[in-house]
Amino acid sequence: MQPAIKRDAEFEEKLKKVDEMLKKYEGQKGVLLQVLQEAQRIVGYLPIEVQKKVAEALDVTLSEVYSTVTFYSFFNLKPRGKYQIRVCLGTACYVKGADKVLGRIEQELKIKVGDTTEDLKFSLDACRCVGACGLAPVVIINDDVYGRLTPDRVPEILKNYE
Amino acid sequence: MEIYRAHILVCRGTGCTASGSEPVMEAFEKEIEKHGLSKEVKVLLTGCLGLCELGPNIIIYPEGTYYCRVKPEDVPEIVEEHLVKGRIVERLLYKERAVEERMRALTDINFYKRQKRVALRNCGLINPEIIEEYIANDGYRALAKVLTEMTPQQVIDEVTRSGLRGRGGGGFPTGRKWQFAKDAPGDIKYVVCNGDEGDPGAFMDRSILEGDPHTVLEAMAIAGYAIGAKEGYIYVRAEYPLAVKRLEIAIEQARERGLLGKNILGTGFEFDIFLRLGSGAFVCGEETALLASIEGRRGEPRPRPPFPAIEGLWGKPTLINNVETYANIPPIILNGADWFASIGTERSKGTKVFAIGGKINNTGLVEIPMGTTLREVIYEIGGGIPNGKQFKAVQTGGPSGGCIPASLLDMPIEYDTLTQAGSMMGSGGMIVMDEDTCMVDIAKFFLTFTQDESCGKCPPCRIGTKRMLEILERVTNGEGREGDIELLESLAKNIKASALCGLGQTAPNPVLSTLRYFRDEYEAHIREKKCPAGACKALITYEIIADKCKGCGLCVKVCPSAAITGERRQPHAIDREKCLKCNSCFERCPFGAIAKK
Ligand SMILES: Cc1cc2nc3c(=O)[nH]c(=O)nc-3n(C[C@H](O)[C@H](O)[C@H](O)COP(=O)(O)O)c2cc1C
Ligand code: SF4
Ligand code: SF4
Ligand code: SF4
Ligand code: FES
Ligand code: FES
């Protein structure tokens, strides 16, 4: 189940910011990726409205924008949760049982990897090595890094974000 | 300049920051202030020391005392004892596992003693956010030397003679690549740094970018002079925000100092560097895909030739090298090609940085001379396998590499030996596996990765890796059939021969190497429906051994699905219907009463 896009004042405000950002780049070549990165930083994800604006400003087709957005895993087409949980599934973390930690998080939040809870509180993703392999297995929630995790520590950690 | 009697270096690399080095640094600042030592003792941040697992790490100079796992609560004691009274806080010193002895200096411990730091020479030694510290450690001297004393051809000859080969995976001779780019016709050329670091288990490029960003900038400027380029781009993965920040600061400071921009060091040479961020696609580490991504497009590889040195960024000749490759350039220029070539072996010169991880006591970054054996790295530097377990294999080369078994531990680490063993140097990930790691599962893990990251442009990779993955899935699920091994082998051969880029061409390697050395594990899964390592969920069940169970109830507390029941002090039992096979009870039971069958 995907939560509907909220079209409130806040969203409109963000769209305005995207417009301003786009002015900087108008007419420039080879900047699509940078523009999309900035747009996602502003809005949090890249709904079709935003992609249309980008296509118009850079004078490229919407399909080119869409195919670029879907190529890179960093871009989200759907809104993400307030707390973004990323479980490192890099080799060092995997060998130390990251899949079991991931399984426990899925079970606690009742969502699968790639999904967002219905209340838009948590979203859950797997990611590749974040460069903290010494602390494997590693989970990142927004900017907080948790290392040397075991599945049974999951509930207590999630409680910090209630 | 102020003179301080002591410097406290707090590691603020990614690992230590994650384990809380920022509050430690703040605590030091407060405590120093409180003791009125602000004029005598300086607190500084630095980059990764390599022993991230023991973080937060700090070093106090001039003695070079190394304290690990420092918490903010420990700080008053360190200041009071070490800095005021001059007494070392023994309990926070690193303990050498082999001899159970506390070591005082970082340079005394086994993990460090055997290393030779060339690419990492400044990491953990200087503050990466202050250009003066880099300059004070010979920084930008190589650039000055090149611009004032050497012709571009002399620079290239020096790099060629050093024998340096690319550290990004392929191992192509760096000097030859520079020569191609110099000789390519065209007025506009580019220098690119590949900081995409895709191997999911390697983080040396990240540590260099975070801990010593100027070395990359300096080397790129040298490369620009050598090939005749005025612009450079550094492509960094989006997952590395700290590296991006440190690079931004470094570029800004270098421009202010006239070390980037127009008329560098008054010589008339012009060169500037720009950053581009990746967006989470492993294939963008491949050079042609990376260039497409810098141009703002989908990062799909294209056939080579033409090679980027002839036709690269926006169709212009482009030199592309890896972060660690660049980090070797300034020392080569300053100390000479002969010095560099004297390190390492006949066909692999210099040093290589490895990220050792997995089932090993000392995880972290190590830089060793080429030719060091795997055994030395794993047992002498890495301190061996924890919990008395048996070593099974070491994986190098990431998703393009393979697993090397115990029988080959005495092999020297070189480009060619690793390739012969069915693996490869790759970017330097080195993951150690013990008896609890299932080799079929590991092969599946890597194939899941490459399958996921395949850009989909060519069918052998897109469809072939999917077929292979399906087979591995059924094998690990206990549904493997006779003939599956042969099927895997023939698919692998086809994919290797016909995929368009390196990702597809090397994707079967993890499967092939595990088949080569651990075929019996595949056979056990297929014929006996058993996972000898006890890792594949579908093939194991959890049971409590009544004789060993003391009825302490600890397993009941950690079980997420209430599958364990029993009276206090009586043997407990697991309800197989409810058990999720999460392994929590197995890890928790202090009496070894839980068995995997
Ligand atoms: C699928 C794939 C991924 C790669 N990823 C990286 C990477 O993350 N970092 C890197 O430096 N080189 C990577 N390479 C190698 C680059 O294509 C290129 O050879 C390298 O950047 C050249 O630099 P070097 O000669 O200094 O090693 C990758 C190659 C392939 C085929
Ligand atoms: S081998 Fe795979 S990653 Fe490379 S071009 Fe073909 S489909 Fe894309
Ligand atoms: S493996 Fe997990 S689910 Fe099964 S009994 Fe043990 S703790 Fe409970
Ligand atoms: S933790 Fe071990 S000893 Fe304690 S009740 Fe569980 S199985 Fe028995
Ligand atoms: S593999 Fe997880 S942090 Fe490196
Ligand atoms: S981050 Fe501190 S030692 Fe690696």
Side-chain angles (χ1 to χ4, degrees):
Chain A
M1 256 274 310
Q2 262 317 304
I5 296 172
K6 276 201 283 186
R7 243 164 259 295
D8 50 9
E10 202 188 324
F11 185 75
E12 296 300 327
E13 191 57 35
K14 285 177 179 166
L15 285 184
K16 261 198 214 123
K17 277 198 195 143
V18 171
D19 285 332
E20 277 163 39
M21 180 270 295
L22 285 171
K23 281 201 195 104
K24 269 196 314 197
Y25 288 99
E26 226 157 280
Q28 288 187 44
K29 279 213 171 338
V31 290
L32 179 55
L33 209 53
Q34 281 158 280
V35 167
L36 291 171
Q37 284 163 352
E38 280 204 43
Q40 175 154 305
R41 218 167 294 145
I42 296 168
V43 189
Y45 67 109
L46 296 172
I48 204 76
E49 288 95 321
V50 172
Q51 295 184 41
K52 276 187 190 147
K53 280 180 186 295
V54 170
E56 233 165 76
L58 299 183
D59 197 23
V60 293
T61 60
L62 181 59
S63 78
E64 188 177 340
V65 174
Y66 183 78
S67 85
T68 308
V69 169
T70 50
F71 183 83
Y72 294 98
S73 66
F74 189 68
F75 296 126
N76 302 313
L77 290 167
K78 308 170 195 164
R80 307 300 286 156
K82 181 168 167 215
Y83 301 112
Q84 296 193 26
I85 307 177
R86 293 188 297 147
V87 181
C88 177
L89 286 188
T91 322
C93 288
Y94 184 78
V95 170
K96 288 214 167 171
D99 55 329
K100 304 209 169 67
V101 174
L102 176 64
R104 184 66 188 257
I105 299 176
E106 285 183 333
Q107 198 206 343
E108 291 293 322
L109 296 178
K110 300 187 181 63
I111 52 173
K112 286 278 166 212
V113 130
D115 290 345
T116 303
T117 53
E118 241 169 88
D119 57 1
L120 282 184
K121 196 153 185 190
F122 292 104
S123 43
L124 179 60
D125 291 291
C127 68
R128 306 303 179 194
C129 182
V130 294
C133 320
L135 308 177
V138 174
V139 170
I140 304 183
I141 305 183
N142 287 356
D143 290 327
D144 305 333
V145 182
Y146 298 90
R148 303 188 197 99
L149 277 184
T150 47
D152 55 303
R153 278 186 56 206
V154 165
E156 148 214 358
I157 288 170
L158 290 178
K159 243 186 229 139
N160 296 340
Y161 300 89
E162 292 287 280
Chain B
M1 211 171 124
E2 315 251 355
I3 310 262
Y4 294 93
R5 74 170 164 92
H7 287 91
I8 304 174
L9 262 67
V10 181
C11 178
R12 290 293 302 281
T14 297
C16 289
T17 304
S19 39
S21 67
E22 192 173 349
V24 168
M25 188 158 168
E26 282 161 10
F28 267 114
E29 276 159 356
K30 251 190 22 227
E31 205 60 28
I32 301 274
E33 178 86 48
K34 209 169 96 191
H35 281 78
L37 294 172
S38 308
K39 286 215 156 58
E40 295 172 45
V41 180
K42 183 138 181 84
V43 186
L44 293 165
L45 70 86
T46 189
C48 180
L49 302 167
L51 273 166
C52 320
E53 189 211 348
L54 298 169
N57 290 316
I58 69 158
I59 299 187
I60 303 186
Y61 286 104
E63 308 90 339
T65 310
Y66 166 46
Y67 292 125
C68 55
R69 294 242 166 110
V70 178
K71 290 192 265 334
E73 307 88 271
D74 301 323
V75 169
E77 185 183 346
I78 298 176
V79 172
E80 181 68 31
E81 287 293 308
H82 189 122
L83 293 164
V84 178
K85 298 184 183 148
R87 289 197 297 233
I88 284 185
V89 185
E90 295 277 336
R91 70 177 178 90
L92 292 172
L93 290 175
Y94 172 80
K95 196 149 122 209
E96 195 79 79
R97 265 172 252 250
V99 287
E100 286 291 308
E101 195 182 323
R102 299 238 176 225
M103 311 303 275
R104 294 196 165 180
L106 193 58
T107 41
D108 286 345
I109 70 181
N110 278 338
F111 181 82
Y112 254 73
K113 255 193 315 215
R114 310 193 61 108
Q115 293 194 44
K116 177 151 185 75
R117 289 165 85 92
V118 178
L120 297 178
R121 64 196 178 282
N122 288 324
C123 285
L125 214 62
I126 65 167
N127 182 336
E129 297 186 357
I130 300 180
I131 191 171
E132 284 77 10
E133 296 212 2
Y134 180 67
I135 293 173
N137 282 280
D138 289 339
Y140 290 104
R141 259 188 57 213
L143 178 62
K145 177 173 174 185
V146 160
L147 294 182
T148 56
E149 298 171 21
M150 295 168 87
T151 64
Q153 189 56 50
Q154 282 172 328
V155 176
I156 294 180
D157 291 343
E158 198 71 17
V159 174
T160 306
R161 274 204 314 120
S162 75
L164 175 65
R165 293 169 68 175
R167 303 296 195 236
F172 192 82
T174 305
R176 274 221 338 255
K177 202 188 263 187
W178 288 30
Q179 190 74 55
F180 287 144
K182 176 174 186 285
D183 294 345
D187 297 336
I188 300 176
K189 294 181 184 178
Y190 297 102
V191 173
V192 171
C193 172
N194 188 342
D196 200 43
E197 193 149 61
D199 175 353
F203 57 104
M204 58 286 301
D205 294 350
R206 158 174 218 161
S207 288
I208 293 171
L209 293 174
E210 285 177 5
D212 194 16
H214 285 286
T215 193
V216 176
L217 305 186
E218 180 178 10
M220 288 175 73
I222 293 171
Y225 175 74
I227 70 158
K230 289 197 183 103
E231 266 181 39
Y233 288 87
I234 306 179
Y235 188 88
V236 191
R237 342 177 24 202
E239 291 88 340
Y240 287 0
L242 190 58
V244 172
K245 181 182 147 212
R246 299 257 163 90
L247 278 169
E248 280 169 350
I249 295 172
I251 292 173
E252 203 46 49
Q253 291 179 344
R255 282 182 190 149
E256 276 165 20
R257 286 277 192 138
L259 294 162
L260 284 179
K262 291 197 165 58
N263 196 16
I264 293 174
L265 295 165
T267 59
F269 172 61
E270 176 184 346
F271 192 77
D272 208 350
I273 295 177
F274 307 92
L275 283 182
R276 286 293 180 272
L277 303 199
S279 275
F282 170 69
V283 73
C284 285
E286 194 280 336
E287 54 192 25
T288 60
L290 183 140
L291 296 175
S293 187
I294 293 184
E295 291 172 9
R297 296 184 283 123
R298 282 164 66 98
E300 277 177 4
R302 61 157 176 80
R304 300 172 307 174
F307 286 91
I310 311 298
E311 216 179 295
L313 199 55
W314 292 295
K316 309 288 183 207
T318 301
L319 171 72
I320 171 162
N321 275 128
N322 162 263
V323 172
E324 189 186 334
T325 313
Y326 282 124
N328 280 296
I329 297 291
I332 289 176
I333 299 292
L334 283 181
N335 305 329
D338 296 330
W339 162 80
F340 189 82
S342 72
I343 309 166
T345 66
E346 185 57 38
R347 295 185 38 82
S348 300
K349 301 292 186 197
T351 59
K352 176 77 192 88
V353 185
F354 287 97
I356 34 180
K359 308 285 186 66
I360 187 158
N361 275 316
N362 306 328
T363 61
L365 274 193
V366 298
E367 182 168 357
I368 45 161
M370 297 273 193
T372 308
T373 65
L374 285 167
R375 187 184 300 282
E376 284 171 281
V377 174
I378 292 165
Y379 287 93
E380 285 169 38
I381 298 175
I385 319 299
N387 309 323
K389 299 261 178 176
Q390 275 290 317
F391 168 89
K392 187 188 261 181
V394 54
Q395 209 277 344
T396 69
S400 306
C403 295
I404 301 169
S407 58
L408 295 177
L409 274 178
D410 290 309
M411 189 175 84
I413 298 169
E414 291 178 278
Y415 287 98
D416 309 318
T417 48
L418 288 170
T419 308
Q420 278 156 22
S423 183
M424 63 185 264
M425 181 75 79
S427 53
M430 194 181 269
I431 309 284
V432 178
M433 299 165 192
D434 68 7
E435 56 193 279
D436 294 338
T437 315
C438 167
M439 301 317 275
V440 188
D441 184 57
I442 281 297
K444 187 177 83 176
F445 165 78
F446 280 113
L447 213 60
T448 311
F449 178 89
T450 37
Q451 159 68 28
D452 212 36
E453 296 291 343
S454 161
C455 82
K457 188 168 173 172
C458 62
C461 169
R462 187 182 63 232
I463 301 165
T465 56
K466 194 160 186 190
R467 285 289 101 77
M468 287 183 76
L469 184 57
E470 283 163 7
I471 299 172
L472 289 176
E473 268 165 0
R474 73 175 178 246
V475 170
T476 50
N477 271 330
E479 292 150 16
R481 316 177 193 137
E482 267 324 306
D484 273 351
I485 292 180
E486 292 70 21
L487 202 53
L488 280 172
E489 283 170 333
S490 82
L491 278 165
K493 219 168 94 196
N494 284 332
I495 298 169
K496 275 177 87 96
S498 55
L500 173 67
C501 85
L503 188 147
Q505 288 156 9
T506 57
N509 286 354
V511 180
L512 289 175
S513 77
T514 45
L515 271 174
R516 176 163 158 193
Y517 300 116
F518 303 96
R519 207 181 182 92
D520 53 331
E521 286 195 31
Y522 281 82
E523 286 164 356
H525 282 75
I526 294 172
R527 297 195 185 137
E528 293 150 43
K529 312 288 176 220
K530 281 220 162 79
C531 175
C536 293
K537 268 191 188 182
L539 302 180
I540 49 170
T541 50
Y542 286 81
E543 259 170 42
I544 293 179
I545 308 165
D547 290 354
K548 287 193 182 168
C549 178
K550 303 250 189 285
C552 69
L554 287 173
C555 56
V556 180
K557 286 208 189 88
V558 295
C559 178
S561 69
I564 310 178
T565 48
E567 297 285 318
R568 242 187 129 55
R569 299 213 180 79
Q570 295 298 314
H572 284 42
I574 295 176
D575 180 346
R576 276 196 205 165
E577 296 286 296
K578 283 191 187 162
C579 174
L580 303 165
K581 302 181 184 175
C582 75
N583 211 44
S584 291
C585 55
F586 185 82
E587 278 166 25
R588 191 70 193 86
C589 176
F591 306 102
I594 295 185
K596 287 193 259 188
K597 289 229 171 99

